[in-house]
Amino acid sequence: GAVVSQHPSWVICKSGTSVKIECRSLDFQATTMFWYRQFPKQSLMLMATSNEGSKATYEQGVEKDKFLINHASLTLSTLTVTSAHPEDSSFYICSARALAGGSSGANVLTFGAGSRLTVL
Amino acid sequence: AQSVAQPEDQVNVAEGNPLTVKCTYSVSGNPYLFWYVQYPNRGLQFLLKYITGDNLVKGSYGFEAEFNKSQTSFHLKKPSALVSDSALYFCAVRDGRGGADGLTFGKGTHLIIQP
């Protein structure tokens, strides 16, 4: 089945530094990837929709200059948390939707395992 | 705007008993409905979906869900619970009118299966 790989699975950084999280679709091409943020014991909040070859679409309240998203190829999207602060500490999860007709189905999202960011 | 409600923060079921995790939704067009399961510090795993067709949908690990349009519900069920089913379950909806919008998730329900 479809697999989405996220890297790193966990990262600790100092306040003020930038952290990049990668999301890769391993066995299918993803025109669209989504980035979610999950706070402890809470649901997932959609941060942005990443479309290959175009600018990401951010949800209301999400700072696009803070959370930089790049979807340079059909198998890779990256989320960069710039000038990270302790309040950015969270569990970030990406998901990918295959091209229509792909083996994973056009309507089912495949999720990565998540990346836990801790900002000291 | 679309929304999902999971009214129960936690559901406790004895092993071997049937389980139900409730979900209601609100969406403008025809709903695409999903259930995902999350184990501790892990991403989400797809369980099942309803797009069209039979209202009773069967998914992974023996789970099933029933789409009820009049009640705008999509409750997750399993006839006989296992301890290994203990996890956090999310219901999600997407407007079926198209577009690449991400899913809207419910807040999640902790399912605890007691031996």
Side-chain angles (χ1 to χ4, degrees), chain A residues 34 36 38 43 107 109 112-113 116, chain B residues 34 36 38 41 43 100 102-103 106:
Chain A
F34 303 91
Y36 293 85
Q38 185 179 30
S43 187
N107 292 310
L109 295 179
R116 182 162 299 284
Chain B
F34 304 81
Y36 286 86
Q38 184 180 33
N41 292 314
L103 296 175

Side-chain angles (χ1 to χ4, degrees), chain A residues 32 34 36 38 41-44 46 49 51 91 93 97 107-109 111-114 116, chain B residues 32 34 36 38 41-44 46 49 51 88 90 94 99-103 105-107:
Chain A
T32 305
F34 303 91
Y36 293 85
Q38 185 179 30
K41 298 182 179 180
Q42 294 191 33
S43 187
L44 287 80
L46 177 64
T49 301
N51 296 298
F91 194 53
I93 303 176
R97 175 175 293 143
N107 292 310
V108 174
L109 295 179
F111 284 80
R116 182 162 299 284
Chain B
Y32 289 0
F34 304 81
Y36 286 86
Q38 184 180 33
N41 292 314
R42 300 286 298 278
L44 278 72
F46 169 74
K49 67 175 179 178
I51 304 298
L88 181 60
F90 288 98
R94 174 173 165 252
D101 297 329
L103 296 175
F105 285 86
K107 64 179 181 178

